[in-house]
Each structure stands twice: as structure tokens, then as C-alpha cells.
């Protein structure tokens, strides 16, 4: 009887190793051909089904809206909570497999899935991709929403501010700190850019330091040491390195498993995006979506909506909003005041040259073009 394979890389797969239900569930799957196809098996006498799709990210690119749309489709069994954050986590609060599977309806013929926007890009992304491929199989479907990275970072920063994460006083200083950290990391690890700076740069710094102490490695500048403290500002830029994250996830899943969608497309023409999602998940087209409105829209966007000729029956939240309008909205929110916080030309130039090669790689890999 073939069960889930033993993880090849034990250090990455502690989640899989420490939960005995993994082997029991996977053996149950393997014992019946039908179960294997549907991804459902008996676990302690109850039918449990693994997800067969994941919305892996990215944070602040409209994942809540996509999850809410998917919940409406009659053939989708979405998880009972939006962000179980099951894969990749190694702390004690991680859900057990049993609790995770209990989030999904035991519908053998439906597409079951969840949306955890941090799967794609966090330091734990390589571990999450491996664990997800081991539970779901390499042919599972993945969806990743991307958003112009500066706009995304501004939205993310406004969330940090509300939660009092990070030390930066405003969006500009947060982004400056993040860019400085990346430059330092890249400079110390060699070359203008180094993929090793994408995940756990602090760990790299500590390893280099240890090597330097024993005389076998490079001396690390003290300035890089603070990366080991996992500063939140770093995440503002880290999450926007979409091509790097794609490479990480593509390594673990079949070619064609991953669909990348642009957030602004989901917002401006949700039905067109949802048709692509349905096709990717092998679902029939659903005609009954209740279209969601944007959570918040700035006054300019509301005026633009009012002035626009709306297609009959389409709610106002879905009129395309000019990129500049959305961008200003994010900056207003990030600054926490009614006044927009314009980013200085110098900083914008730095951000553009930082993200440009990443955006170009994303375009080459997926055809999705983001202009910073
Ligand atoms: N329909 C529509 N139109 C315009 N904007 C929309 C829409 N749906 C979601 N959003 C914006 O998406 C941002 C939230 O993204 P997420 O749901 O992925 O956030 S989270 O990671 O789950 O916290 C958040 O962006 P900001 O407003 O810039 O913060 C939402 O306003």
C-alpha cells in the first residue's frame, strides 16, 4: 500500500513528520482508487477530504474578495475560515491535520480550497510549498493574485500601522528601511541582487557571521545583523518579489498548476477573472455571482464611478479605477490621515529601479505586466 511519501527534506517538513494522521490519512487515500481521485478518505471513521486548490497569495492583493467569490460557486467547498495558515508554520499553534481537514466540506465531487495570502511569500514559503505539495499532490491547483508592488506595500503598511507592527513612523521611512535592508543583504551576499535575500536573510547573516568567527567565511557588517530580528518593514518589499515566489512554488508543483492573476483585473472586471479561475479549477461557469463592492473607495473613484456609464446590473464598485486613483487611496490610508502621503521622487525612483527587474521577470514568466 503506497502512502504519502516520507518527506525528502526533514528540516522543511517537520509539520508532516510530527502529525501521525498524515500517514493514516494518506494510507486511507491509497487504499481506494475512488478516494485517491477525490482526495477523500476515512479518518477515525469520518470522511475527511484534503483541499485540491489553494489561493497562496499575495497579502493585500484582493485575496479576501477572491475567497468570497469562490465561496459563492455551488461546486466549490471553501474552507470554513479564510486563512487557516496551515502550511509552512512550525510553531506550536499550528493546526493538526485533523483540525485542518475538518475545515473542508466532505464533498467528493467539488473543488475544495482555502486562501492564506502569506503562503506565497513569507520566510516559510519554501517549507509551505513543500508541505502543500505533499498533502495535496503536485497536480493541485494554485492561484496567486499579484498587485503593483508599491501599491501593495502601501496597503500592507497601513495594516501594520493599525496593528502597531514595525518601527517606521510613516510609509516612506518603512519603504526606505526595507530597501536599505535588501541592498545590504544583496551587497553582503554578493552581487546587486541575490535570491538568498528573499527568504530568511537574517538566518543567512547569522550563518555568515558564524563562518567569519571560525575564520572560514566573510566578515559580516554589523548592519546586517538586525535582519536576524525579522523586522516587519522587510516584509513590505519581500512580499512583492513575485517572480521569486513563483519559482519557489513551481519547484514543488506541476507545470500549469499555478494561475497568476492581477488584482486590478479582479476589481475592474471580476467576471472575466472568475472565468479564468473556474477554467483553472475545472469548474463549470457560474452565472449567479453576487458582485462584491470595494471595501473603500476614495472620493475621486466614487465620482469616476458616478460619471461612468455603468453596464446594467453591475454594481458601482467594479467600474475600472485609474491606477493613480487606487494608488492615492492606498497612500492616504497608509499615512493615516486625510492627506495623501506622496512618496518623494527620489524614493519612487529607487522603488521603480528595485522592482523593475522583478516585474520584468514576472512578465516573462506569466505575461502579467505590472508597472511600478
Ligand atoms: N473590489 C475591490 N476593488 C478595489 N479594491 C479592492 C477590492 N477588493 C479588495 N480590494 C482591496 O484589496 C486589499 C485587501 O487585499 P486582501 O483581501 O488580499 O488583504 S489580506 O491580505 O487578506 O489582508 C485592500 O486594499 P487597500 O484598500 O489598498 O488596503 C482592499 O481595498
Amino acid at each position: 500500500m503506497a502512502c504519502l511519501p516520507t518527506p525528502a527534506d526533514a528540516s522543511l517538513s517537520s509539520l508532516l513528520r510530527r502529525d501521525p494522521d498524515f500517514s493514516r490519512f494518506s494510507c486511507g487515500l491509497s487504499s481506494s482508487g475512488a478516494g485517491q481521485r477525490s482526495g477523500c478518505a476515512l479518518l477515525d471513521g469520518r470522511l475527511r477530504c484534503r483541499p485540491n486548490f489553494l489561493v497562496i497569495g499575495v497579502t493585500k492583493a484582493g485575496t479576501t474578495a477572491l475567497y468570497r467569490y469562490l465561496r459563492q460557486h455551488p461546486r466549490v467547498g471553501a474552507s470554513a475560515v479564510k486563512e487557516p495558515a496551515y502550511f509552512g508554520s512550525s510553531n506550536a499553534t499550528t493546526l493538526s491535520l485533523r483540525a485542518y481537514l475538518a475545515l473542508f466540506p466532505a464533498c467528493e465531487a467539488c473543488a475544495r480550497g482555502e486562501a492564506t495570502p502569506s503562503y506565497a511569500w513569507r520566510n516559510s514559503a519554501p517549507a509551505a510549498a513543500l508541505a502543500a505539495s505533499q498533502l495535496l499532490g503536485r497536480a493541485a491547483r494554485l492561484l496567486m493574485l499579484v498587485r503593483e508592488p508599491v501599491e501593495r506595500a502601501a496597503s500592507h503598511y497601513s495594516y501594520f500601522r493599525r496593528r502597531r507592527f514595525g518601527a517606521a513612523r510613516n510609509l516612506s521611512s518603512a519603504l526606505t528601511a526595507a530597501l536599505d535592508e535588501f541592498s545590504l543583504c544583496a551587497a553582503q551576499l554578493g552581487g546587486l541582487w541575490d535570491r538568498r535575500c528573499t527568504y530568511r536573510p537574517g538566518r543567512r547573516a547569522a550563518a555568515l557571521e558564524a563562518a567569519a568567527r571560525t575564520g572560514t567565511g566573510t566578515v559580516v557588517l554589523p548592519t546586517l545583523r538586525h535582519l536576524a530580528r525579522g523586522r516587519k518593514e522587510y516584509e513590505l518589499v519581500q512580499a512583492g518579489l513575485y517572480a521569486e515566489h513563483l519559482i519557489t512554488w513551481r519547484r514543488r508543483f506541476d507545470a500549469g498548476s499555478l494561475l497568476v492573476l492581477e488584482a486590478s483585473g479582479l476589481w475592474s472586471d471580476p467576471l472575466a477573472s472568475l472565468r479564468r479561475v473556474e477554467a483553472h479549477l475545472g469548474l463549470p461557469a457560474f452565472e449567479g455571482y453576487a458582485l462584491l463592492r470595494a471595501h473603500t473607495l476614495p472620493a475621486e473613484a466614487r465620482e469616476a464611478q458616478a460619471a461612468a456609464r455603468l453596464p446594467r446590473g453591475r454594481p458601482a464598485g467594479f467600474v475600472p479605477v485609474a491606477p493613480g486613483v487606487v494608488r492615492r487611496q492606498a497612500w492616504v490610508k497608509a499615512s493615516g490621515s486625510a492627506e495623501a502621503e506622496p512618496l518623494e521622487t527620489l524614493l519612487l525612483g529607487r522603488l521603480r529601479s528595485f522592482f523593475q527587474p522583478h516585474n520584468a521577470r514576472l512578465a516573462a514568466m506569466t505575461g502579467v505586466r505590472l508597472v511600478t
Side-chain angles (χ1 to χ4, degrees):
M1 183 187 298
C3 303
L4 278 178
T6 308
D9 183 339
S11 65
L12 285 178
S13 295
S14 57
L15 184 86
L16 302 186
R17 278 188 297 120
R18 70 159 184 259
D19 193 332
D21 280 340
F22 262 97
S23 49
R24 293 171 51 214
F25 178 69
S26 61
C27 287
L29 283 183
S30 310
S31 62
S32 109
Q36 205 165 6
R37 266 198 307 282
S38 68
C40 302
L42 289 174
L43 191 60
D44 289 341
R46 304 184 68 156
L47 188 67
R48 292 292 184 211
C49 300
R50 66 184 174 191
N52 44 32
F53 77 86
L54 298 175
V55 177
I56 59 170
V58 297
T59 303
K60 301 298 171 196
T63 55
T64 311
L66 180 57
Y67 167 79
R68 288 172 63 194
Y69 279 125
L70 284 166
R71 280 186 75 90
Q72 296 180 35
H73 195 294
R75 292 272 302 278
V76 171
S79 57
V81 296
K82 182 202 163 209
E83 292 185 34
Y86 178 66
F87 297 107
S89 173
S90 57
N91 62 34
T93 59
T94 306
L95 288 174
S96 66
L97 176 71
R98 199 174 297 210
Y100 181 62
L101 295 179
L103 295 174
F104 301 94
C107 54
E108 294 189 71
C110 66
R112 297 173 300 272
E114 51 114 334
T116 299
S118 57
Y119 281 157
W121 61 270
R122 277 251 162 94
N123 282 334
S124 53
L130 174 60
S133 70
Q134 287 179 334
L135 181 64
L136 277 63
R138 291 185 65 95
R141 302 277 118 174
L142 304 174
L143 299 161
M144 182 162 140
L145 277 159
V146 295
R147 180 179 182 185
E148 189 285 309
V150 180
E151 234 179 87
R152 195 218 65 78
S155 172
H156 205 161
Y157 174 73
S158 103
Y159 167 77
F160 281 174
R161 215 177 134 100
R162 288 196 298 275
R163 302 289 299 267
R164 299 181 195 283
F165 291 155
R169 287 188 319 276
N170 54 36
L171 178 61
S172 300
S173 42
L175 288 171
T176 304
L179 288 179
D180 287 349
E181 287 168 0
F182 264 88
S183 309
L184 269 172
C185 184
Q188 299 225 336
L189 294 184
L192 276 179
W193 173 252
D194 194 299
R195 182 167 159 75
R196 287 173 294 173
C197 295
T198 306
Y199 308 111
R200 301 196 190 285
R203 188 180 279 187
R204 307 280 175 203
L208 283 178
E209 272 193 319
R213 273 198 299 274
T214 59
T216 54
T218 344
V219 176
V220 174
L221 294 175
T223 35
L224 191 52
R225 286 190 198 135
H226 70 276
L227 289 179
R229 296 206 299 267
R231 281 168 49 128
K232 294 304 277 182
E233 284 80 6
Y234 200 78
E235 298 185 354
L236 300 178
V237 167
Q238 178 183 33
L241 305 175
Y242 307 130
E244 302 287 342
H245 307 317
L246 269 181
I247 292 168
T248 299
W249 284 81
R250 280 183 173 179
R251 281 178 59 204
R252 302 293 180 187
F253 287 84
D254 290 347
S257 275
L258 217 158
L259 176 67
V260 179
L261 290 170
E262 201 195 337
S264 63
L266 180 69
W267 299 339
S268 61
D269 190 353
L271 277 182
S273 297
L274 291 168
R275 290 283 105 94
R276 293 185 61 202
V277 170
E278 288 164 343
H280 189 63
L281 300 182
L283 292 167
F286 175 52
E287 300 303 336
Y289 289 110
L291 296 179
L292 305 171
R293 294 175 69 96
H295 308 218
T296 49
L297 280 177
E300 303 97 305
R302 282 198 300 274
E303 282 159 24
Q305 285 177 2
R309 286 196 195 88
L310 299 179
R312 194 175 283 275
R314 180 168 288 196
F318 292 94
V319 174
V321 175
V325 173
V326 175
R327 188 169 294 135
R328 276 204 295 282
Q329 173 202 12
W331 289 356
V332 169
K333 287 176 69 177
S335 70
S337 77
E339 294 298 312
E341 182 199 333
L343 296 183
E344 293 210 346
T345 318
L346 205 63
L347 177 55
L348 261 182
R350 246 189 112 187
L351 286 162
R352 285 202 180 105
S353 33
F354 179 83
F355 280 117
Q356 194 280 331
H358 295 285
N359 292 348
R361 279 175 80 197
L362 178 76
M365 290 165 77
T366 64
V368 171
R369 285 177 201 290
L370 301 170
V371 179
T372 295

